Amino acid sequence: PGIEMAGITIYSNPEVAGERGLSGEIASVKLRGIKVTRALFKHDIYVSKVTFSNSIIKGKIPNSERAVQPVVSPLSFGIGRMLFDKVNLEMEDDSTGQTYSVRDGMLKVYDLQVGKLDTLLPGTLKLFDFNAGEVILVSSDKMYSYVIKGISYPANLNTLFIDSLFIRPGYKNYDF
């Protein structure tokens, strides 16, 4: 037994985020293996599997002067396996103008454990697999696009695999 939600829309509060907010859509979220008694009596949430399917996220990353405040977890929780399947992401760095995109991405996080009052940081993710059909970085001056195709990072091998890497000039008035 578990919980399934479909057609989820995400957006930042414009009063707080202004123009640098996030927006997104998630086709479905499935939670399996929820330990209800553990949550009710120990105030400790554990879910054996969470799956986010077909996500599209767009937005701006705030610059360091207006950086988002750290998030402190109000309770303990753990997730045995969290899967972000078919992720498409488009982000822009507010301070540099660099853009990043991930197409057909997959992120699988294993054994996520967060204690009460822990600060949620990217370093919380210790063991994960990552795959993407394409990752694109556009330089802040828009002069170059760096395109990585077929990127894969399996946690068990601790090795990054890349099918191909292209550096493309973004202006037509110069010869190479």
Side-chain angles (χ1 to χ4, degrees), residues 7 26 30 39 52 58 63-67 77 79 82 90 99-100 102 122 125 130 132 134 150 159 167 174:
I26 302 172
K30 296 177 187 174
F52 298 86
K58 297 178 180 183
N63 67 24
S64 58
E65 293 174 8
R66 298 182 296 167
F77 68 91
I79 300 173
M82 185 166 42
E90 293 180 19
T99 59
Y100 312 85
V102 175
L125 307 178
F130 174 74
E134 185 175 71
T159 304
I167 301 173
Y174 297 92

Side-chain angles (χ1 to χ4, degrees), residues 54-92:
N54 298 319
S55 304
I56 300 170
I57 309 290
K58 297 178 180 183
K60 290 190 175 184
I61 302 167
N63 67 24
S64 58
E65 293 174 8
R66 298 182 296 167
V68 175
Q69 296 297 316
V71 176
V72 176
S73 177
L75 49 89
S76 296
F77 68 91
I79 300 173
R81 190 175 87 186
M82 185 166 42
L83 173 64
F84 296 87
D85 191 24
K86 297 180 184 169
V87 174
N88 289 292
L89 176 74
E90 293 180 19
M91 300 299 290
E92 181 179 347

